[in-house]
Amino acid sequence: MKKMKITVFALIGLMTKSMVCKANENMVFAENLPTDAKVFVQKNFPRLSVAFVEKKAAGQGSVYEVSLNDGTEVVFSPNGAWGMVDCKLEAVPASLMPAPLSSFVKSQFAGAKVVRLERTNSGYVAALSNGISLKFDHEGQIA
């Protein structure tokens, strides 16, 4: 019985170690982000810092998933172009939104703010603080 317990604990230890090693393989130091990604964070989130970065496989390549110290998440392509910004409960920086998109949200959804913005092949998907999700074309017109 004692040998069985030792064997079980040893197996659990090995499994945990392998999972931790796998997670560490995807971790990236903030200074190793593409230059455009670092500039993006400094420009749009000047009061925040990078908490951690994870490089993940996605489609044909990989993406950088960046978590800032307030919980904001930003996804970057390998060249540093942003693809998604999720500010949770805070508003996405206005500098990221086309003016027509921002104007539409202000006029049609007074009091709501864009808390998540994703760039897609066809334009943008904006998630509002009131739970509504909207699609816009590349010029920021409602699609």
Side-chain angles (χ1 to χ4, degrees):
M1 186 68 164
K2 188 174 183 179
K3 285 183 182 181
M4 185 178 218
K5 284 183 182 178
I6 291 172
T7 304
V8 169
F9 285 122
L11 286 173
I12 291 171
L14 287 173
M15 288 173 33
T16 303
K17 183 177 180 183
S18 67
M19 290 183 342
V20 169
C21 290
K22 181 67 175 165
N24 287 339
E25 288 177 11
N26 297 333
M27 298 307 287
V28 176
F29 289 107
E31 55 267 12
N32 293 335
L33 278 171
T35 301
D36 288 350
K38 290 188 280 190
V39 169
F40 176 91
V41 171
Q42 291 168 351
K43 177 184 173 193
N44 294 289
F45 302 96
R47 295 182 314 274
L48 301 178
S49 60
V50 174
F52 64 91
V53 179
E54 195 170 358
K55 189 173 184 179
K56 290 189 172 180
Q60 300 291 341
S62 58
V63 295
Y64 293 97
E65 292 184 0
V66 176
S67 292
L68 304 180
N69 63 345
D70 74 337
T72 296
E73 296 176 0
V74 185
V75 176
F76 294 100
S77 68
N79 67 357
W82 73 273
M84 187 275 301
V85 175
D86 187 350
C87 295
K88 308 296 182 213
L89 301 174
E90 298 299 319
V92 169
S95 59
L96 301 179
M97 293 185 279
L101 185 155
S102 184
S103 295
F104 180 84
V105 171
K106 284 180 185 173
S107 68
Q108 299 299 312
F109 300 95
K113 54 190 171 188
V114 176
V115 294
R116 185 177 193 273
L117 188 63
E118 182 176 353
R119 288 200 302 192
T120 65
N121 290 336
S122 58
Y124 298 89
V125 176
L128 306 184
S129 56
N130 61 7
I132 294 175
S133 184
L134 304 167
K135 291 184 180 183
F136 297 88
D137 63 17
H138 287 289
E139 286 75 39
Q141 302 297 323
I142 192 78

